Amino acid sequence: MIYYFSTFFIFYFLFFISLVLKNKSANILLFFAMFPMAFIVVFRGDVGVDTATYIQLIQYIQDTPGYTNIFEPFFELLIYVFSIMGLNAREIVSLLSVITIIILLYSSYKIEKRLVIFSSCIVPMFFFDMTMNGIRYGLSFSIILLGLSFLIRNRSALFWMCILLSSLIQFSGALLGLLVYFLYTKRIRVFIYSLLLLIPLLFVFSGYLINKVEAYQGAYVSSGLSGVSTLLITLLVLFTWCTNKDMRYGNLFVLLTIFSLTLLSYVLAQYTYAGLRVQNIVAYTLFLMIMVNFKQLSHTDYKIIFLLFFIGLISFAFKMKNFYDGEGIGLSPFVPYHFYWDI
């Protein structure tokens, strides 16, 4: 656990220093603050719940000619390309994590007043999970953040390209992208038309989706408290958003939509593991909408920053408890941590 705590608090210490610096200097400092966290992600051994599974499946794909239908097409294409480059399965997993980190940082940088929200919200709740566990969803969701940076600058074609690419890495990227577009533009008719565009993708991913549905049929939640930490964090962030009248103005529809989806996903999480995945999509969407609206402020609202900072600490504490509860369980648990050269 010491590795996670030390890198996280180094990051937050530098994050606080960055608040008193000018934009360019603050951004440079925050980029350097990510290095310790990125280091333990890239040079990990069999750490991260799904890491061992990814390594095994990538090895299988490398040994099997043609499309295996294990992952979405573009993700398997990436594995094929990296394999041609001579990388083994473990190196491919690390490289995918590096790509995710780079896209997250670059995308956050392209959104005005961006790294503050990225640092206080996305890092404590999602960073380790996106880069060390759910590698596909991490890469997919980071591309949606990149797409949002294009959407804000009215480059819609690039935004839709990001949604397509994201969905070809993990299908849930399409749902996240459409939800982000719907809440950003508030155009219900366009959202409905966009949903219709999912039909061709459903045919493309039919075999994969059938396998996922069958897997989720046997995946039940472990207790009545499943998803309660994500529910709490999401509600606290929503409350923080509501404390600022400038960010609240004109966003009642967005707030009510996310609040409703938060409650619905929590109820779903009491019956199926898929509900926990939906909770993550809703929470990540909320953070992206916070980034969009925070940049609209004419000045930096330090009250919101500090509120989000403390919520981030709570989120990180929940994450570390989950890591600790799973100590030694499975082929590649988060705890105990070890580097690849310790294998």
Side-chain angles (χ1 to χ4, degrees):
M1 298 290 286
I2 188 64
Y3 290 108
Y4 301 114
F5 278 110
S6 59
T7 57
F8 180 76
F9 284 112
I10 289 173
F11 175 80
Y12 254 179
F13 174 73
L14 296 177
F15 164 69
F16 267 112
I17 295 177
S18 72
L19 296 179
V20 300
L21 300 177
K22 294 182 179 179
N23 273 350
K24 185 175 181 179
S25 299
N27 291 336
I28 293 174
L29 184 61
L30 285 173
F31 280 127
F32 278 105
M34 292 296 300
F35 283 1
M37 300 179 75
F39 181 85
I40 70 169
V41 168
V42 175
F43 294 103
R44 71 190 187 276
D46 290 337
V47 180
V49 178
D50 288 341
T51 294
T53 301
Y54 272 109
I55 291 175
Q56 292 173 357
L57 292 177
I58 290 174
Q59 289 173 339
Y60 175 78
I61 291 172
Q62 289 176 326
D63 296 334
T64 304
Y67 178 50
T68 65
N69 205 38
I70 294 176
F71 298 126
E72 287 84 344
F74 190 74
F75 192 78
E76 287 207 18
L77 177 62
L78 286 175
I79 294 172
Y80 177 73
V81 171
F82 294 150
S83 298
I84 292 177
M85 294 168 58
L87 301 180
N88 60 39
R90 187 177 301 280
E91 291 168 341
I92 290 175
V93 166
S94 294
L95 181 56
L96 290 170
S97 296
V98 170
I99 294 173
T100 298
I101 294 171
I102 292 173
I103 295 176
L104 285 172
L105 288 174
Y106 175 79
S107 305
S108 300
Y109 174 78
K110 298 301 289 186
I111 301 175
E112 185 183 357
K113 297 181 180 177
R114 54 280 167 184
L115 286 175
V116 169
I117 307 302
F118 173 75
S119 303
S120 56
C121 290
I122 294 179
V123 168
M125 186 168 183
F126 285 102
F127 181 77
F128 286 129
D129 199 51
M130 290 175 69
T131 56
M132 295 177 65
N133 181 30
I135 298 172
R136 274 184 308 129
Y137 104 76
L139 181 57
S140 177
F141 284 19
S142 68
I143 292 174
I144 294 298
L145 177 57
L146 176 62
L148 178 62
S149 71
F150 291 130
L151 184 62
I152 290 173
R153 288 174 285 163
N154 296 316
R155 303 176 71 177
S156 297
L158 290 175
F159 170 75
W160 290 109
M161 288 177 61
C162 285
I163 287 186
L164 177 61
L165 182 60
S166 175
S167 64
L168 291 174
I169 292 173
Q170 190 184 57
F171 185 75
S172 58
L175 302 177
L176 172 64
L178 291 178
L179 181 58
V180 167
Y181 183 79
F182 174 49
L183 295 177
Y184 180 80
T185 62
K186 304 180 182 69
R187 298 176 182 173
I188 299 178
R189 180 181 299 178
V190 176
F191 177 72
I192 294 173
Y193 293 156
S194 300
L195 285 177
L196 295 177
L197 294 176
L198 283 178
I199 295 177
L201 290 177
L202 291 175
F203 284 103
V204 173
F205 297 132
S206 59
Y208 171 78
L209 292 174
I210 291 173
N211 292 336
K212 294 297 289 185
V213 169
E214 291 176 348
Y216 281 134
Q217 285 178 345
Y220 299 97
V221 295
S222 57
S223 72
L225 297 178
S226 294
V228 69
S229 61
T230 305
L231 172 68
L232 175 62
I233 296 301
T234 307
L235 293 178
L236 286 174
V237 173
L238 280 171
F239 173 77
T240 300
W241 186 341
C242 292
T243 60
N244 185 281
K245 64 179 181 180
D246 293 329
M247 290 178 61
R248 189 174 63 244
Y249 179 76
N251 282 311
L252 180 60
F253 171 75
V254 175
L255 291 167
L256 289 177
T257 299
I258 295 179
F259 177 73
S260 301
L261 291 175
T262 297
L263 297 182
L264 288 173
S265 63
Y266 174 71
V267 172
L268 181 63
Q270 304 312 301
Y271 298 96
T272 173
Y273 182 77
L276 300 177
R277 296 295 182 91
V278 176
Q279 273 194 306
N280 277 339
I281 292 176
V282 175
Y284 192 79
T285 301
L286 171 60
F287 295 153
L288 297 190
M289 291 299 101
I290 285 274
M291 293 181 76
V292 168
N293 287 277
F294 190 80
K295 85 179 189 66
Q296 308 293 347
L297 297 179
S298 58
H299 63 281
T300 302
D301 190 329
Y302 286 101
K303 182 180 73 172
I304 287 184
I305 292 175
F306 285 115
L307 283 173
L308 292 176
F309 165 77
F310 286 112
I311 294 172
L313 287 181
I314 296 172
S315 174
F316 184 74
F318 279 131
K319 188 67 65 176
M320 290 302 100
K321 182 183 183 302
N322 291 338
F323 289 2
Y324 182 77
D325 290 342
E327 181 176 1
I329 299 176
L331 296 175
S332 55
F334 274 104
V335 180
Y337 179 89
H338 59 273
F339 292 101
Y340 76 87
W341 54 76
D342 296 326
I343 298 176

Short mmCIF file of all heavy atoms in Angstrom, two decimals, residues 218-262:
data_model
loop_
_atom_site.label_atom_id
_atom_site.label_comp_id
_atom_site.label_asym_id
_atom_site.label_seq_id
_atom_site.Cartn_x
_atom_site.Cartn_y
_atom_site.Cartn_z
N GLY A 218 -24.10 -14.48 -14.69
CA GLY A 218 -23.60 -15.22 -13.54
C GLY A 218 -22.81 -14.37 -12.58
O GLY A 218 -22.24 -14.88 -11.62
N ALA A 219 -22.77 -13.05 -12.82
CA ALA A 219 -22.01 -12.15 -11.95
C ALA A 219 -22.95 -11.36 -11.07
O ALA A 219 -23.66 -10.47 -11.54
CB ALA A 219 -21.16 -11.20 -12.81
N TYR A 220 -22.98 -11.68 -9.80
CA TYR A 220 -23.86 -11.02 -8.86
C TYR A 220 -23.03 -10.17 -7.90
O TYR A 220 -21.85 -10.41 -7.69
CB TYR A 220 -24.68 -12.04 -8.08
CG TYR A 220 -25.59 -12.87 -8.95
CD1 TYR A 220 -25.18 -14.15 -9.38
CD2 TYR A 220 -26.81 -12.39 -9.39
CE1 TYR A 220 -26.00 -14.92 -10.20
CE2 TYR A 220 -27.63 -13.14 -10.21
CZ TYR A 220 -27.22 -14.40 -10.60
OH TYR A 220 -28.02 -15.16 -11.42
N VAL A 221 -23.69 -9.18 -7.31
CA VAL A 221 -23.01 -8.31 -6.37
C VAL A 221 -22.72 -9.06 -5.09
O VAL A 221 -23.41 -10.01 -4.73
CB VAL A 221 -23.88 -7.06 -6.07
CG1 VAL A 221 -24.03 -6.22 -7.32
CG2 VAL A 221 -25.24 -7.46 -5.52
N SER A 222 -21.69 -8.62 -4.39
CA SER A 222 -21.24 -9.34 -3.21
C SER A 222 -22.01 -8.98 -1.96
O SER A 222 -22.08 -9.77 -1.02
CB SER A 222 -19.74 -9.05 -2.97
OG SER A 222 -19.53 -7.66 -2.84
N SER A 223 -22.61 -7.76 -1.89
CA SER A 223 -23.34 -7.35 -0.70
C SER A 223 -24.30 -6.23 -1.04
O SER A 223 -24.28 -5.67 -2.14
CB SER A 223 -22.37 -6.89 0.39
OG SER A 223 -21.81 -5.64 0.05
N GLY A 224 -25.14 -5.89 -0.06
CA GLY A 224 -26.09 -4.80 -0.25
C GLY A 224 -25.44 -3.44 -0.29
O GLY A 224 -26.08 -2.44 -0.60
N LEU A 225 -24.14 -3.37 0.02
CA LEU A 225 -23.40 -2.10 0.00
C LEU A 225 -22.67 -1.89 -1.32
O LEU A 225 -21.91 -0.93 -1.44
CB LEU A 225 -22.41 -2.06 1.16
CG LEU A 225 -23.01 -2.09 2.57
CD1 LEU A 225 -21.90 -2.09 3.62
CD2 LEU A 225 -23.94 -0.90 2.79
N SER A 226 -22.86 -2.78 -2.28
CA SER A 226 -22.17 -2.66 -3.56
C SER A 226 -22.52 -1.33 -4.24
O SER A 226 -23.69 -0.99 -4.39
CB SER A 226 -22.55 -3.82 -4.49
OG SER A 226 -22.09 -5.04 -3.98
N GLY A 227 -21.49 -0.58 -4.59
CA GLY A 227 -21.69 0.68 -5.28
C GLY A 227 -21.96 1.87 -4.37
O GLY A 227 -22.11 2.99 -4.86
N VAL A 228 -22.00 1.66 -3.06
CA VAL A 228 -22.35 2.77 -2.16
C VAL A 228 -21.26 3.84 -2.15
O VAL A 228 -21.56 5.04 -2.02
CB VAL A 228 -22.64 2.25 -0.73
CG1 VAL A 228 -21.35 1.75 -0.06
CG2 VAL A 228 -23.29 3.33 0.11
N SER A 229 -19.99 3.45 -2.29
CA SER A 229 -18.91 4.44 -2.28
C SER A 229 -19.00 5.33 -3.52
O SER A 229 -18.86 6.56 -3.42
CB SER A 229 -17.55 3.75 -2.21
OG SER A 229 -17.35 2.90 -3.32
N THR A 230 -19.25 4.73 -4.68
CA THR A 230 -19.40 5.52 -5.91
C THR A 230 -20.61 6.43 -5.82
O THR A 230 -20.59 7.58 -6.26
CB THR A 230 -19.52 4.60 -7.14
OG1 THR A 230 -18.41 3.71 -7.18
CG2 THR A 230 -19.56 5.40 -8.42
N LEU A 231 -21.70 5.91 -5.23
CA LEU A 231 -22.91 6.72 -5.03
C LEU A 231 -22.60 7.94 -4.17
O LEU A 231 -22.97 9.07 -4.51
CB LEU A 231 -23.99 5.88 -4.37
CG LEU A 231 -25.25 6.63 -3.92
CD1 LEU A 231 -26.04 7.12 -5.13
CD2 LEU A 231 -26.13 5.73 -3.04
N LEU A 232 -21.89 7.72 -3.07
CA LEU A 232 -21.56 8.82 -2.16
C LEU A 232 -20.69 9.87 -2.84
O LEU A 232 -20.97 11.08 -2.74
CB LEU A 232 -20.85 8.27 -0.92
CG LEU A 232 -20.35 9.32 0.09
CD1 LEU A 232 -21.52 10.11 0.66
CD2 LEU A 232 -19.55 8.65 1.20
N ILE A 233 -19.65 9.42 -3.53
CA ILE A 233 -18.75 10.36 -4.19
C ILE A 233 -19.50 11.17 -5.25
O ILE A 233 -19.33 12.40 -5.35
CB ILE A 233 -17.56 9.61 -4.84
CG1 ILE A 233 -16.71 8.93 -3.76
CG2 ILE A 233 -16.72 10.56 -5.68
CD1 ILE A 233 -16.13 9.88 -2.74
N THR A 234 -20.32 10.51 -6.04
CA THR A 234 -21.07 11.20 -7.09
C THR A 234 -22.01 12.24 -6.50
O THR A 234 -22.10 13.38 -7.00
CB THR A 234 -21.86 10.19 -7.94
OG1 THR A 234 -20.99 9.17 -8.41
CG2 THR A 234 -22.52 10.88 -9.13
N LEU A 235 -22.71 11.90 -5.44
CA LEU A 235 -23.63 12.85 -4.81
C LEU A 235 -22.88 14.04 -4.21
O LEU A 235 -23.35 15.18 -4.28
CB LEU A 235 -24.47 12.15 -3.73
CG LEU A 235 -25.47 11.11 -4.24
CD1 LEU A 235 -26.20 10.45 -3.07
CD2 LEU A 235 -26.48 11.74 -5.21
N LEU A 236 -21.72 13.78 -3.61
CA LEU A 236 -20.92 14.87 -3.04
C LEU A 236 -20.43 15.83 -4.13
O LEU A 236 -20.43 17.06 -3.94
CB LEU A 236 -19.73 14.30 -2.27
CG LEU A 236 -20.04 13.66 -0.92
CD1 LEU A 236 -18.78 13.01 -0.34
CD2 LEU A 236 -20.60 14.69 0.06
N VAL A 237 -20.02 15.28 -5.27
CA VAL A 237 -19.57 16.13 -6.37
C VAL A 237 -20.73 16.93 -6.94
O VAL A 237 -20.59 18.13 -7.25
CB VAL A 237 -18.90 15.28 -7.47
CG1 VAL A 237 -18.58 16.14 -8.70
CG2 VAL A 237 -17.63 14.63 -6.95
N LEU A 238 -21.90 16.31 -7.05
CA LEU A 238 -23.09 17.04 -7.50
C LEU A 238 -23.42 18.19 -6.55
O LEU A 238 -23.75 19.30 -6.98
CB LEU A 238 -24.28 16.08 -7.61
CG LEU A 238 -24.36 15.21 -8.85
CD1 LEU A 238 -25.46 14.17 -8.70
CD2 LEU A 238 -24.62 16.07 -10.10
N PHE A 239 -23.33 17.93 -5.25
CA PHE A 239 -23.58 18.97 -4.26
C PHE A 239 -22.58 20.11 -4.41
O PHE A 239 -22.94 21.29 -4.33
CB PHE A 239 -23.51 18.38 -2.85
CG PHE A 239 -23.57 19.41 -1.76
CD1 PHE A 239 -24.78 19.99 -1.40
CD2 PHE A 239 -22.42 19.83 -1.10
CE1 PHE A 239 -24.85 20.96 -0.41
CE2 PHE A 239 -22.47 20.79 -0.10
CZ PHE A 239 -23.69 21.35 0.24
N THR A 240 -21.31 19.76 -4.64
CA THR A 240 -20.28 20.78 -4.82
C THR A 240 -20.58 21.65 -6.04
O THR A 240 -20.42 22.88 -6.00
CB THR A 240 -18.90 20.11 -4.97
OG1 THR A 240 -18.61 19.36 -3.81
CG2 THR A 240 -17.81 21.15 -5.19
N TRP A 241 -21.01 21.02 -7.12
CA TRP A 241 -21.38 21.76 -8.32
C TRP A 241 -22.49 22.76 -7.99
O TRP A 241 -22.44 23.93 -8.42
CB TRP A 241 -21.85 20.78 -9.38
CG TRP A 241 -22.13 21.35 -10.73
CD1 TRP A 241 -22.38 22.67 -11.04
CD2 TRP A 241 -22.21 20.65 -11.97
NE1 TRP A 241 -22.62 22.82 -12.38
CE2 TRP A 241 -22.52 21.59 -12.98
CE3 TRP A 241 -22.06 19.31 -12.32
CZ2 TRP A 241 -22.68 21.23 -14.31
CZ3 TRP A 241 -22.22 18.95 -13.65
CH2 TRP A 241 -22.51 19.89 -14.64
N CYS A 242 -23.46 22.32 -7.22
CA CYS A 242 -24.61 23.17 -6.91
C CYS A 242 -24.26 24.36 -6.01
O CYS A 242 -25.04 25.31 -5.90
CB CYS A 242 -25.71 22.34 -6.24
SG CYS A 242 -26.49 21.14 -7.35
N THR A 243 -23.12 24.32 -5.33
CA THR A 243 -22.75 25.41 -4.43
C THR A 243 -22.32 26.67 -5.17
O THR A 243 -22.24 27.75 -4.57
CB THR A 243 -21.61 24.99 -3.48
OG1 THR A 243 -20.46 24.63 -4.25
CG2 THR A 243 -22.05 23.82 -2.60
N ASN A 244 -22.02 26.55 -6.47
CA ASN A 244 -21.59 27.71 -7.25
C ASN A 244 -22.70 28.12 -8.21
O ASN A 244 -23.08 27.36 -9.10
CB ASN A 244 -20.31 27.38 -8.03
CG ASN A 244 -19.76 28.59 -8.76
OD1 ASN A 244 -20.26 28.97 -9.82
ND2 ASN A 244 -18.75 29.22 -8.18
N LYS A 245 -23.21 29.33 -8.02
CA LYS A 245 -24.37 29.77 -8.82
C LYS A 245 -24.02 29.94 -10.30
O LYS A 245 -24.88 29.73 -11.17
CB LYS A 245 -24.93 31.06 -8.25
CG LYS A 245 -23.99 32.25 -8.32
CD LYS A 245 -24.67 33.51 -7.76
CE LYS A 245 -23.74 34.72 -7.85
NZ LYS A 245 -24.40 35.94 -7.31
N ASP A 246 -22.76 30.30 -10.60
CA ASP A 246 -22.36 30.47 -12.00
C ASP A 246 -22.37 29.13 -12.74
O ASP A 246 -22.82 29.03 -13.88
CB ASP A 246 -20.98 31.11 -12.10
CG ASP A 246 -20.97 32.54 -11.59
OD1 ASP A 246 -22.01 33.21 -11.72
OD2 ASP A 246 -19.93 32.98 -11.06
N MET A 247 -21.86 28.09 -12.07
CA MET A 247 -21.85 26.77 -12.69
C MET A 247 -23.24 26.14 -12.68
O MET A 247 -23.58 25.35 -13.57
CB MET A 247 -20.86 25.85 -11.95
CG MET A 247 -19.41 26.22 -12.15
SD MET A 247 -18.28 25.17 -11.22
CE MET A 247 -18.65 23.57 -11.94
N ARG A 248 -24.03 26.51 -11.70
CA ARG A 248 -25.39 25.96 -11.58
C ARG A 248 -26.34 26.56 -12.60
O ARG A 248 -27.27 25.89 -13.08
CB ARG A 248 -25.91 26.22 -10.16
CG ARG A 248 -27.21 25.53 -9.83
CD ARG A 248 -27.56 25.71 -8.37
NE ARG A 248 -27.78 27.12 -8.01
CZ ARG A 248 -27.03 27.79 -7.17
NH1 ARG A 248 -26.00 27.23 -6.58
NH2 ARG A 248 -27.29 29.07 -6.89
N TYR A 249 -26.08 27.81 -12.97
CA TYR A 249 -26.99 28.51 -13.89
C TYR A 249 -27.03 27.83 -15.26
O TYR A 249 -26.01 27.59 -15.89
CB TYR A 249 -26.52 29.97 -14.06
CG TYR A 249 -27.38 30.77 -15.01
CD1 TYR A 249 -28.62 31.24 -14.62
CD2 TYR A 249 -26.94 31.02 -16.32
CE1 TYR A 249 -29.42 31.97 -15.49
CE2 TYR A 249 -27.73 31.75 -17.20
CZ TYR A 249 -28.97 32.22 -16.78
OH TYR A 249 -29.74 32.92 -17.65
N GLY A 250 -28.24 27.52 -15.71
CA GLY A 250 -28.44 26.91 -17.01
C GLY A 250 -28.13 25.43 -17.07
O GLY A 250 -28.18 24.83 -18.15
N ASN A 251 -27.83 24.82 -15.92
CA ASN A 251 -27.44 23.41 -15.91
C ASN A 251 -28.37 22.53 -15.08
O ASN A 251 -28.00 21.43 -14.70
CB ASN A 251 -26.01 23.27 -15.35
CG ASN A 251 -24.96 23.64 -16.37
OD1 ASN A 251 -24.99 23.19 -17.52
ND2 ASN A 251 -24.03 24.50 -15.98
N LEU A 252 -29.57 23.04 -14.81
CA LEU A 252 -30.51 22.24 -14.01
C LEU A 252 -30.82 20.91 -14.69
O LEU A 252 -30.88 19.87 -14.04
CB LEU A 252 -31.81 23.03 -13.79
CG LEU A 252 -32.89 22.32 -12.96
CD1 LEU A 252 -32.38 21.99 -11.57
CD2 LEU A 252 -34.15 23.18 -12.90
N PHE A 253 -30.99 20.95 -16.01
CA PHE A 253 -31.27 19.73 -16.76
C PHE A 253 -30.13 18.73 -16.63
O PHE A 253 -30.35 17.53 -16.40
CB PHE A 253 -31.50 20.07 -18.24
CG PHE A 253 -31.59 18.87 -19.13
CD1 PHE A 253 -32.73 18.09 -19.15
CD2 PHE A 253 -30.53 18.51 -19.95
CE1 PHE A 253 -32.81 16.97 -19.97
CE2 PHE A 253 -30.60 17.40 -20.76
CZ PHE A 253 -31.75 16.64 -20.78
N VAL A 254 -28.88 19.21 -16.74
CA VAL A 254 -27.71 18.34 -16.62
C VAL A 254 -27.64 17.73 -15.22
O VAL A 254 -27.42 16.53 -15.06
CB VAL A 254 -26.42 19.12 -16.94
CG1 VAL A 254 -25.19 18.24 -16.70
CG2 VAL A 254 -26.44 19.61 -18.38
N LEU A 255 -27.82 18.57 -14.21
CA LEU A 255 -27.73 18.10 -12.82
C LEU A 255 -28.80 17.06 -12.51
O LEU A 255 -28.53 16.03 -11.89
CB LEU A 255 -27.86 19.29 -11.87
CG LEU A 255 -26.68 20.27 -11.87
CD1 LEU A 255 -27.04 21.55 -11.14
CD2 LEU A 255 -25.45 19.63 -11.25
N LEU A 256 -30.03 17.32 -12.95
CA LEU A 256 -31.12 16.37 -12.69
C LEU A 256 -30.92 15.07 -13.44
O LEU A 256 -31.22 13.99 -12.92
CB LEU A 256 -32.46 17.00 -13.08
CG LEU A 256 -32.97 18.13 -12.18
CD1 LEU A 256 -34.28 18.70 -12.72
CD2 LEU A 256 -33.17 17.62 -10.74
N THR A 257 -30.40 15.16 -14.67
CA THR A 257 -30.16 13.94 -15.46
C THR A 257 -29.10 13.07 -14.79
O THR A 257 -29.29 11.86 -14.63
CB THR A 257 -29.70 14.31 -16.88
OG1 THR A 257 -30.72 15.07 -17.53
CG2 THR A 257 -29.42 13.04 -17.69
N ILE A 258 -27.99 13.68 -14.38
CA ILE A 258 -26.92 12.91 -13.75
C ILE A 258 -27.38 12.37 -12.40
O ILE A 258 -27.07 11.23 -12.04
CB ILE A 258 -25.65 13.77 -13.59
CG1 ILE A 258 -25.09 14.13 -14.97
CG2 ILE A 258 -24.60 13.02 -12.76
CD1 ILE A 258 -23.84 14.98 -14.93
N PHE A 259 -28.14 13.18 -11.65
CA PHE A 259 -28.67 12.72 -10.36
C PHE A 259 -29.57 11.50 -10.55
O PHE A 259 -29.46 10.50 -9.81
CB PHE A 259 -29.44 13.84 -9.68
CG PHE A 259 -30.07 13.45 -8.37
CD1 PHE A 259 -29.29 13.26 -7.24
CD2 PHE A 259 -31.44 13.26 -8.28
CE1 PHE A 259 -29.88 12.88 -6.03
CE2 PHE A 259 -32.04 12.89 -7.09
CZ PHE A 259 -31.25 12.70 -5.95
N SER A 260 -30.45 11.55 -11.54
CA SER A 260 -31.36 10.43 -11.81
C SER A 260 -30.59 9.18 -12.23
O SER A 260 -30.87 8.07 -11.76
CB SER A 260 -32.36 10.81 -12.90
OG SER A 260 -33.13 11.93 -12.52
N LEU A 261 -29.61 9.36 -13.12
CA LEU A 261 -28.80 8.23 -13.57
C LEU A 261 -27.98 7.64 -12.43
O LEU A 261 -27.74 6.43 -12.37
CB LEU A 261 -27.88 8.66 -14.71
CG LEU A 261 -28.55 9.00 -16.04
CD1 LEU A 261 -27.54 9.55 -17.03
CD2 LEU A 261 -29.26 7.79 -16.61
N THR A 262 -27.55 8.51 -11.51
CA THR A 262 -26.79 8.05 -10.34
C THR A 262 -27.63 7.11 -9.49
O THR A 262 -27.17 6.03 -9.08
CB THR A 262 -26.32 9.25 -9.49
OG1 THR A 262 -25.44 10.06 -10.27
CG2 THR A 262 -25.60 8.78 -8.24
#
